[in-house]
Amino acid sequence: MDLFSVSNGSNNAHVLLVSYPAQGHVAPFMKLSHLLSACGAKVTLVTTQSKHARIVDQEQGPVSIVSVPDGLESEDDRKDVTKLSQSIIRVMPVYVEELIKKINQNEEQGDQKITCVVADSLCGWALELADKFGIKRAMFFTAAPGSLALTLHIPKLIQAGIINLDGAVRKNDNVELSPNLPTLSPAEFMWNNPGHPSLQKIMFEYVKSVNQTVELSDWVLCNWFQGLDPSADHLLPNIIPVGPLLANGKPSGNFWSEDLTCLSWLDRQPPGSVIYAAFGSTSVFSQHQFNELALGLELVGRPFLWVVRPDLSNGNSNDYPNGFTQSVANIGRMVQWAPQEKVLAHPSLACYLTHCGWNSTMEGLSMGVPFLCWPYCADQFYNKSCICEDWKVGLCLSKDENGIITRHEIKKKVEELLSSDGIRKNALNMKALAQESVSPGGSSSKSLEYFVNQIKG
Ligand code: UDP
């Protein structure tokens, strides 16, 4: 797919992007950074030192990366979202303020003054800083349109008694967010986590804070495209869809090394035959569920490429079932991290068994691959509804009475998915729409040009 069609000349825009330090945020920020740079803007991306150290593709071309402390000690657990988030908010603003001052004071020495701050919706403090310095402000919302609609709807949900002030569900009524969007059940609220009340609370506070960040934003950039229905085109007057965001071969801030050998393995598989199974950067399976997934892939009997991150199971470092690796040696390939965009675009792919993270969803849509959905947490349940009910480009796996997705369920749904001509056709239509939006003169290409024009100094 072509990159956004944008002029390559330089202009005097200097964008400071501030990303939340998680793979599903750093990756789209990196992709956006490369696009802005291709439009001629100078780009500086801020992340935390601990995440910067984990980025394996350190060479970012014209994009400068600046890393600042996250306030935690090296031995602290950065998977503890509560701890990390509280520390970031305490520490990062101080460093980013210093950075802005330093860049802007060095203007005479050749540093281009920052003309716009683009902040993650979870880093609203960065827009407060921009406001203080009189710099233009944009929020980048990395999730789905419906998730933004839900966020904007929180005050009404509280008023209608659907949720408490702390986000806990009071009434199990389905909610219509906007006539353009599918109804949402409270189980799909992205902060919903009844098993972990303290995590639920902090997630709710974070989601709620996005509304203040929206208020502070001159523009809201988002990773979707016009024509993606349901969309959020009418949610806010200043929404700018610039997606689907793809790396197109540029570095995308991977925390794990891509195993490129799987591409030559894919080359050896028949067209339309391979199941690609990947669950993003944070999903974790119980050992029992991990085994059932492995045995399900084996039972299907088709070639499969399975991304097994080192921390994918909570068992003993991804122990495969007895005899599994030997019995799938001819049909299966396991890697720690895949070059996902290239894999999804490969002609050997049949379908994508996915956790429905928004980045992965946009990548799968862009490549026209049918989805088999296995959402794990947060906004993934809502994304699953978009995939299965709105766009009709996939099917969802169901849990049994013990909360397990069995090997038999996996086999049954793969067969059902692959025998559906309707789903394949819809997936190809989506691919065409996605490609059109980022091709020369496409809606997202034009939006990006518009944005860069607005932020020139
Ligand atoms: N990804 C990748 N290789 C893999 C698995 C995932 O490059 O083997 C990338 C994927 O392309 C996507 C990101 O990791 O851009 C995951 O983001 P997403 O929002 O889908 O899920 P999250 O990790 O936030 O749950």
Side-chain angles (χ1 to χ4, degrees):
M1 190 184 299
D2 277 334
L3 264 177
F4 284 82
S5 76
V6 286
S7 57
N8 226 338
S10 91
N11 60 40
N12 62 350
H14 183 177
V15 195
L16 183 81
L17 296 108
V18 182
S19 161
Y20 185 82
Q23 179 73 88
H25 291 247
V26 172
F29 261 84
M30 204 70 98
K31 294 171 189 177
L32 179 63
S33 297
H34 284 293
L35 290 171
L36 291 168
S37 169
C39 284
K42 182 172 163 53
V43 177
T44 303
L45 174 62
V46 181
T47 184
T48 60
Q49 285 168 349
S50 72
K51 289 302 182 232
H52 191 198
R54 284 202 54 193
I55 294 177
V56 288
D57 34 10
Q58 290 277 348
E59 186 44 64
Q60 297 298 330
V63 173
S64 318
I65 301 194
V66 176
S67 58
V68 299
D70 60 15
L72 294 181
E73 299 300 326
S74 54
E75 66 276 12
D76 280 332
D77 177 13
R78 286 176 170 77
K79 285 187 183 150
D80 183 336
V81 180
T82 314
K83 203 166 164 184
L84 177 65
S85 305
Q86 286 168 346
S87 183
I88 282 175
I89 242 174
R90 206 178 53 245
V91 171
M92 273 183 84
V94 181
Y95 286 96
V96 174
E97 178 161 3
E98 280 312 304
L99 178 68
I100 295 175
K101 278 188 195 154
K102 199 172 130 211
I103 293 175
N104 285 2
Q105 278 161 9
N106 277 351
E107 199 192 359
E108 317 76 66
Q109 278 125 53
D111 252 354
Q112 220 164 299
K113 225 174 175 158
I114 291 165
T115 57
C116 182
V117 171
V118 175
D120 200 303
S121 56
L122 300 182
C123 298
W125 51 264
L127 295 191
E128 287 170 24
L129 281 178
D131 193 29
K132 184 168 152 186
F133 287 100
I135 299 172
K136 290 173 187 161
R137 304 170 297 274
M139 176 180 107
F140 176 27
F141 191 73
T142 56
S147 300
L148 181 58
L150 174 63
T151 304
L152 299 170
H153 216 78
I154 285 175
K156 283 194 194 149
L157 293 179
I158 295 174
Q159 215 175 26
I162 309 263
I163 54 171
N164 283 334
L165 286 174
D166 64 358
V169 174
R170 284 180 62 191
K171 272 197 236 162
N172 249 325
D173 297 354
N174 278 3
V175 178
E176 188 179 306
L177 297 171
S178 123
N180 295 327
L181 295 165
T183 55
L184 204 70
S185 81
E188 292 171 318
F189 292 170
M190 55 194 146
W191 59 86
N192 191 41
N193 207 334
H196 297 94
S198 62
L199 184 60
Q200 170 164 306
K201 236 177 179 161
I202 185 142
M203 280 190 68
F204 181 68
E205 286 309 314
Y206 250 109
V207 173
K208 219 169 55 172
S209 74
V210 172
N211 287 335
Q212 283 120 48
T213 312
V214 167
E215 293 285 310
L216 276 171
S217 307
D218 298 314
W219 304 277
V220 175
L221 302 174
C222 47
N223 183 11
W224 68 80
F225 49 95
Q226 267 171 18
L228 184 65
D229 204 17
S231 85
D233 286 355
H234 307 295
L235 276 181
L236 293 165
N238 55 351
I239 271 201
I240 306 188
V242 293
L245 289 175
L246 297 170
N248 286 307
K250 294 227 165 51
S252 55
N254 280 305
F255 293 174
W256 293 269
S257 284
E258 290 174 342
D259 185 336
L260 297 174
T261 61
C262 64
L263 294 174
S264 45
W265 181 84
L266 286 175
D267 288 342
R268 295 195 293 277
Q269 309 308 318
S273 66
V274 176
I275 302 169
Y276 172 56
F279 303 91
S281 59
T282 62
S283 307
V284 177
F285 293 113
S286 67
Q287 187 61 50
H288 179 184
Q289 183 61 86
F290 181 85
N291 287 352
E292 212 55 30
L293 165 57
L295 297 171
L297 290 169
E298 181 183 356
L299 190 64
V300 173
R302 287 176 160 267
F304 66 85
L305 172 62
W306 179 15
V307 178
V308 186
R309 275 188 354 256
D311 53 355
L312 184 63
S313 89
N314 65 6
N316 207 353
S317 57
N318 298 335
D319 267 347
Y320 295 108
N322 270 344
F324 172 76
T325 43
Q326 295 88 323
S327 57
V328 301
N330 288 329
I331 58 161
R333 184 72 193 246
M334 280 82 81
V335 293
Q336 289 203 350
W337 195 249
Q340 180 156 300
E341 274 180 32
K342 292 195 179 93
V343 168
L344 288 169
H346 199 280
S348 67
L349 268 235
C351 66
Y352 176 22
L353 175 52
T354 174
H355 69 308
C356 308
W358 186 247
N359 295 295
S360 298
T361 301
M362 292 302 277
E363 291 157 15
L365 270 190
S366 306
M367 309 306 170
V369 184
F371 293 85
L372 192 52
C373 301
W374 189 332
Y376 171 71
C377 68
D379 59 334
Q380 297 157 11
F381 294 93
Y382 177 74
N383 300 344
K384 175 262 306 172
S385 299
C386 294
I387 292 170
C388 300
E389 287 154 35
D390 297 296
W391 311 324
K392 299 191 174 21
V393 293
L395 296 176
C396 183
L397 291 163
S398 304
K399 291 183 173 164
D400 71 1
E401 60 286 1
N402 301 316
I404 290 292
I405 290 178
T406 65
R407 66 192 89 167
H408 306 290
E409 168 70 2
I410 294 170
K411 179 174 164 63
K412 186 178 116 198
K413 288 284 167 62
V414 168
E415 283 168 2
E416 200 182 321
L417 180 69
L418 297 185
S419 62
S420 168
D421 290 337
I423 288 181
R424 195 170 309 117
K425 196 167 138 233
N426 294 341
L428 291 175
N429 285 343
M430 275 293 177
K431 175 181 175 179
L433 273 181
Q435 288 196 344
E436 200 180 304
S437 66
V438 292
S439 59
S443 57
S444 290
S445 308
K446 287 205 230 154
S447 300
L448 198 73
E449 284 186 65
Y450 164 82
F451 175 64
V452 174
N453 271 324
Q454 297 300 305
I455 59 171
K456 285 180 181 168

